[in-house]
Amino acid sequence: MPPDTPATTYGSYLKIDELLALQQRRSDGPEHDEMLFIIIHQVYELWFKELLHEFDHVMQLLEADESHRSQHTLKRILTILKVMVAQLDILETMTPLEFLSFRERLDAASGFQSDQFRQIEFLLGVKSEPAISRFADGSRARAALERRYGEPTLWDAFLRYLSRERYAVPQSHRDRLVTAPVEPSPEIQRILVEVYRRDPKNAELCERLVDLDEGIQEWRYRHVKMVERTIGSRQGTGGSSGAEYLRQTVGRPIFPDLWANRSQL
Ligand code: HEM
């Protein structure tokens, strides 16, 4: 290292000055809780970034038939998801009136417009073209969503892995259109029953995917409950019907076959 290069410090490595300059409140006074609102959303976006980083890794590991390491990475993803669900407790300390004190300053801003959340959905097989077109042409968000839209989902990577593990995954599933929703399939359910009965290693992997599915549903459930207690049945700032729209997304499984096979075991 040249003699006049300053040593790396905590602040320079983590860019603390830049980070601390990013919480810019629109109110300046009685709306005390706006700071919490900004910080918690920024923290979520950082976790979304980390989740995407780990999901990309899981996909690569599955493609390389590294079952053990895939499970290890899924475990990390699940641990992060649990922390993300728990963080909603903090926001629930904000009363409806405290939120209303600055809500109008949000204009149309809403988590509905989080491109990283949509990227996670796309990766898990919940894809939609309108979700892409909401972002401006040429923007980072649009490019990221367009890329993920055309990429295989985690379920596709898993089915291809199972096929290499010598399970008779039909060609129509291995080469399925990656933009299509993941529909339940009796053929795949039969394969999964076989996995659960005879193949502990891959049954464990299936269980981690169920944990993930349950974890996402848990986040959705807790988020809608928080929305109900904070804004009741008001419309969302993102323009949806609010809690009513969110309730429709709760309890919709990501990997339906992994739930259906349970009643066949
Ligand atoms: C007081 C706190 C919050 C309220 C009142 C609230 C309200 C809402 C509402 C009403 C929607 C429906 C879309 C719309 O805006 O019309 C929504 C969607 C969403 N919110 Fe929140 N939210 C809150 C906190 C959070 C936090 C902390 C996150 C973390 C990133 C978040 C992430 C999301 C996401 C990702 C969606 C889209 C869900 C989907 O389309 O399935 N929200 N929120």
Side-chain angles (χ1 to χ4, degrees):
M1 192 166 64
D4 50 355
T5 309
T8 303
T9 63
Y10 179 83
S12 67
Y13 179 62
L14 297 173
K15 309 237 179 292
I16 300 295
D17 286 347
E18 292 88 332
L19 185 65
L20 297 182
L22 296 176
Q23 295 69 44
Q24 291 163 13
R25 285 181 288 179
R26 289 203 160 178
S27 64
D28 187 15
E31 296 95 341
H32 174 88
D33 287 22
E34 191 185 355
M35 181 63 100
L36 170 68
F37 191 79
I38 292 174
I39 289 183
I40 202 143
H41 280 84
Q42 290 184 343
V43 167
Y44 269 109
E45 287 296 329
L46 289 176
W47 281 132
F48 289 157
K49 183 171 183 175
E50 172 62 13
L51 282 185
L52 286 164
H53 183 60
E54 299 295 346
F55 273 128
D56 286 338
H57 192 46
V58 171
M59 300 281 286
Q60 284 163 7
L61 290 169
L62 278 176
E63 271 150 32
D65 298 330
E66 299 247 26
S67 154
H68 186 75
R69 291 178 66 209
S70 316
Q71 287 188 44
H72 176 75
T73 307
L74 278 169
K75 182 85 206 295
R76 177 178 295 170
I77 289 175
L78 297 166
T79 313
I80 295 171
L81 256 179
K82 288 217 175 299
V83 169
M84 289 171 66
V85 171
Q87 282 178 10
L88 290 173
D89 287 349
I90 309 174
L91 212 43
E92 283 184 344
T93 64
M94 183 172 69
T95 67
L97 286 178
E98 281 164 344
F99 181 52
L100 284 177
S101 72
F102 63 88
R103 189 183 190 222
E104 64 187 29
R105 297 179 196 262
L106 303 178
D107 293 332
S110 161
F112 193 63
Q113 297 155 345
S114 165
D115 72 279
Q116 292 202 105
F117 181 80
R118 298 291 168 223
Q119 286 189 55
I120 293 172
E121 285 195 321
F122 279 22
L123 195 140
L124 296 175
V126 184
K127 294 184 180 180
S128 107
E129 281 188 73
I132 303 178
S133 53
R134 277 187 215 116
F135 295 92
D137 253 334
S139 63
R140 172 202 56 76
R142 175 89 174 232
L145 280 168
E146 277 171 350
R147 178 171 62 78
R148 292 208 184 266
Y149 189 71
E151 282 179 355
T153 70
L154 183 56
W155 187 244
D156 296 308
F158 173 66
L159 290 185
R160 289 175 197 176
Y161 161 81
L162 275 187
S163 162
R164 290 191 303 275
E165 288 280 285
R166 313 219 175 286
Y167 286 97
V169 178
Q171 181 91 29
S172 56
H173 285 268
R174 278 181 278 140
D175 299 340
R176 153 198 114 81
L177 192 63
V178 296
T179 52
V182 176
E183 301 288 0
S185 149
E187 289 152 309
I188 300 296
Q189 285 159 32
R190 271 195 293 279
I191 292 175
L192 291 172
V193 168
E194 207 183 316
V195 170
Y196 271 79
R197 289 203 178 129
R198 294 189 242 297
D199 182 354
K201 178 189 78 171
N202 286 319
E204 271 304 303
L205 181 57
C206 290
E207 284 297 279
R208 295 297 73 76
L209 293 177
V210 177
D211 287 342
L212 169 63
D213 197 330
E214 201 175 341
I216 300 277
Q217 291 184 47
E218 201 182 337
W219 186 85
R220 288 193 195 275
Y221 173 79
R222 282 294 314 275
H223 173 262
V224 72
K225 284 291 146 195
M226 180 191 67
V227 171
E228 281 171 1
R229 70 186 278 174
T230 312
I231 59 166
S233 55
R234 280 190 168 86
Q235 269 207 336
T237 44
S240 83
S241 57
E244 191 195 313
Y245 155 75
L246 292 168
R247 273 195 296 272
Q248 292 158 21
T249 67
V250 178
R252 206 180 282 163
I254 296 167
F255 310 124
D257 289 331
L258 278 169
W259 296 90
N261 76 327
R262 258 133 249 274
S263 24
Q264 300 156 25
L265 287 172

